[in-house]
Amino acid sequence: MFRRRQPADADAFGAEVLRYLEPLYATAMRLTRNRADAEDLVQDTLVKAFRFSDKFERGTNLRAWLSTILHNTWRNRVRDAGREAVEVDSTRVEEAEAADGSATSETPEQLLLRNTLDGDLRAALDDLPDVFRQAVWMRDVEEFSYAEIAKALDVPIGTVMSRISRGRRMLLDQLRKTKATA
Amino acid sequence: MSECRRIGESLAAYADDMLKPAERSGVERHLAACPECRKHADTERGARRLLRHSSQQLLNEPLPPGLRTRCEALARERSATPLARLGPWWRVRLVPVLLTVVVMIFGASAFFSIATRSSDALLAAQLTADHSKCFKLLGPPDGTSADARNIERMLLEQYGWQIHVPASSAEDDVQLIGARRCLYGDGLVPHVMYRVHGQDVSLFVLPGTARKPDDLVTLGHRSQIWSRDGSTFVLVSAADAGGMANASRYVMREAR
């Protein structure tokens, strides 16, 4: 189970952690939307990961463990900066859905087939309000469970599901608009 | 609660195929009869499929220059011998904590004194703490050089700070290695990082404040303070660092 790491272990642990730098940085970029803050966030995450390496349970998913530290760190930073986002931005969802019909009649499957560019997808994600972006990213890109997301974000599971649901709808709406104006 | 609203709460789990069979058939019955909810459900499934389809690309963001090297340095510190493992703990935890305590003591003394000298000592102590923290925790590695114009652009675009950053100067053995937004001290300030004769040197810029020039030693570090055009500049280096005279003159002349 848990045991204090010896130096040889620490070497291996360090090397293993470094394998996940790209996904950690990608997640940090989507959360912060800014390179300098993303770099800070990744480095703070690694400092914590190395400090608390004896808390990592061998054989479990290291990437998920690191990512949870990163999301926790970001949540605390946002909270400390007094930037806690509005719980539910329902006006924006409703506006988005009202505009739904006016954009294009393309179905989600057609959008998929037309091979949405990763850059468009990143831009659409970045356009989501923070809480929706983080929930959707954790669920659909990092594939965390609802319970894991709820724990990392310190909100009830119902809130997580509602954020994922609204976030997904807003995301596709944004992509439809991008396609319509392209 | 209306039927649509109740179904709406299950749509995330429906798109994720996480509903129990009975719940799933209930949702599907409603969707068959309600075009509005059907549209939401389709949209949600589409977004989910799109994201999962692209997740590998989305997670593969190229690292900015220097980040991997800095992270490798963090890993190396961690994997040192057991005795030396006190090193990171000292540097990462205890030093910032001690410096913070000292800063608080200076803060308290400044509160009771209106002497300018004390105010400079407080400023110097805060920035020395930032200097140590940034270099120890996040400092770029040896051999990494940065372009002054790129750094100016980054400071302007990301933080709205318009400053002239002195570039590397081989003649004065000044190497510009990076800049960041410093999160400590009295608010957020640009922190430009240099290496001079192998020593860590910091230039802090405090926009919108002017102070009388000062030169003092705090916490084993020398702080040279000067003002120009309504901004205050502070150059922080180890007090015993040799060969700093030319480098200091160069930075003081160039910084705007």
Side-chain angles (χ1 to χ4, degrees), chain B:
Chain B
M1 187 188 300
S2 78
E3 179 71 356
C4 292
R5 187 156 178 185
R6 195 179 63 76
I7 294 295
E9 287 177 356
S10 305
L11 285 186
Y14 175 71
D16 282 331
D17 284 329
M18 304 248 321
L19 291 178
K20 291 177 189 151
E23 293 169 322
R24 184 177 184 80
S25 353
V27 170
E28 282 174 345
R29 262 197 309 280
H30 178 82
L31 295 183
C34 176
E36 197 63 19
C37 289
R38 173 91 246 162
K39 190 174 79 181
H40 288 166
D42 285 347
T43 303
E44 212 171 301
R45 288 198 142 198
R48 180 185 181 280
R49 286 193 59 177
L50 186 55
L51 286 164
R52 298 219 166 190
H53 176 77
S54 310
S55 63
Q56 287 314 307
Q57 286 79 23
L58 289 171
L59 283 170
N60 187 17
E61 185 105 13
L63 297 180
L67 180 60
R68 177 169 291 280
T69 322
R70 289 198 292 282
C71 291
E72 283 168 353
L74 288 173
R76 271 197 304 278
E77 284 202 11
R78 176 66 199 175
S79 65
T81 60
L83 192 60
R85 281 174 65 187
L86 279 175
W89 183 70
W90 259 88
R91 287 194 288 275
V92 173
R93 293 291 289 182
L94 193 57
V95 171
V97 168
L98 283 178
L99 289 171
T100 306
V101 169
V102 174
V103 167
M104 287 167 71
I105 293 168
F106 272 106
S109 72
F111 184 76
F112 293 110
S113 167
I114 55 167
T116 310
R117 184 79 193 168
S118 167
S119 160
D120 283 350
L122 172 64
L123 175 71
Q126 284 181 333
L127 296 182
T128 297
D130 291 352
H131 165 84
S132 300
K133 179 248 177 189
C134 290
F135 271 99
K136 294 291 187 297
L137 205 61
L138 307 163
D142 286 322
T144 311
S145 274
D147 179 76
R149 302 294 86 80
N150 285 344
I151 286 189
E152 287 172 355
R153 201 173 311 120
M154 183 274 286
L155 291 173
L156 180 64
E157 286 173 2
Q158 295 192 5
Y159 306 121
W161 288 320
Q162 187 157 24
I163 60 174
H164 173 71
V165 173
S168 296
S169 162
E171 197 181 320
D172 304 296
D173 199 13
V174 172
Q175 187 193 9
L176 172 63
I177 54 178
R180 63 193 309 274
R181 179 176 61 167
C182 225
L183 301 169
Y184 289 178
D186 292 333
L188 301 168
V189 296
H191 175 188
V192 186
M193 301 161 92
Y194 292 95
R195 203 154 268 137
V196 178
H197 298 310
Q199 300 271 348
D200 299 337
V201 175
S202 291
L203 172 68
F204 294 93
V205 186
L206 286 64
T209 59
R211 284 172 178 260
K212 286 184 182 162
D214 206 346
D215 190 342
L216 62 166
V217 172
T218 315
L219 305 169
H221 285 73
R222 181 181 181 193
S223 292
Q224 293 166 272
I225 304 174
W226 74 99
S227 291
R228 177 179 291 147
D229 302 331
S231 290
T232 294
F233 300 83
V234 184
L235 192 65
V236 178
S237 56
D240 55 0
M244 285 291 299
N246 286 346
S248 298
R249 269 197 297 277
Y250 165 74
V251 174
M252 293 175 83
R253 190 175 65 237
E254 291 292 317
R256 287 193 166 71

Side-chain angles (χ1 to χ4, degrees), chain A:
Chain A
M1 271 299 260
F2 299 103
R3 66 186 182 90
R4 185 154 291 284
R5 264 160 224 290
Q6 297 305 308
D9 279 354
D11 272 343
F13 181 75
E16 190 69 7
V17 166
L18 293 171
R19 283 183 50 209
Y20 298 115
L21 275 188
E22 278 86 1
L24 284 175
Y25 179 67
T27 300
M29 270 301 286
R30 290 289 77 69
L31 295 182
T32 64
R33 293 182 285 183
N34 144 357
R35 185 178 132 182
D37 287 344
E39 287 191 47
D40 269 7
L41 185 55
V42 169
Q43 289 175 118
D44 281 1
T45 300
L46 260 59
V47 167
K48 287 180 186 172
F50 292 135
R51 191 182 304 151
F52 298 111
S53 60
D54 52 345
K55 298 273 188 286
F56 173 68
E57 200 175 333
R58 287 175 155 219
T60 58
N61 186 339
L62 178 60
R63 193 179 104 184
W65 185 73
L66 293 168
S67 188
T68 303
I69 297 176
L70 186 142
H71 283 285
N72 275 322
T73 307
W74 178 245
R75 187 195 77 205
N76 292 338
R77 273 197 199 177
V78 169
R79 189 193 56 206
D80 293 347
R83 283 177 37 211
E84 196 83 73
V86 181
E87 182 59 26
V88 175
D89 189 356
S90 49
T91 318
R92 188 157 163 213
V93 178
E94 280 153 20
E95 280 170 3
E97 283 164 4
D100 223 17
S102 63
T104 70
S105 57
E106 205 165 29
T107 68
E109 297 304 313
Q110 283 169 316
L111 261 172
L112 262 178
L113 291 172
R114 282 184 45 191
N115 224 355
T116 300
L117 296 171
D118 295 333
D120 289 345
L121 194 50
R122 283 195 179 92
L125 276 164
D126 286 355
D127 197 53
L128 293 182
D130 293 351
V131 293
F132 300 124
R133 187 173 64 255
Q134 190 169 14
V136 167
W137 181 271
M138 289 185 85
R139 178 69 198 145
D140 289 336
V141 180
E142 298 190 284
E143 301 189 30
F144 279 106
S145 70
Y146 296 145
E148 287 167 331
I149 302 171
K151 195 172 166 200
L153 303 184
D154 196 21
V155 294
I157 284 188
T159 306
V160 168
M161 291 167 74
S162 152
R163 287 180 184 179
I164 291 169
S165 199
R166 285 163 182 265
R168 283 172 175 163
R169 276 145 58 188
M170 289 165 84
L171 177 79
L172 217 67
D173 179 71
Q174 185 59 36
L175 283 170
R176 282 198 182 107
K177 281 186 194 158
T178 309
K179 297 275 179 193
T181 53

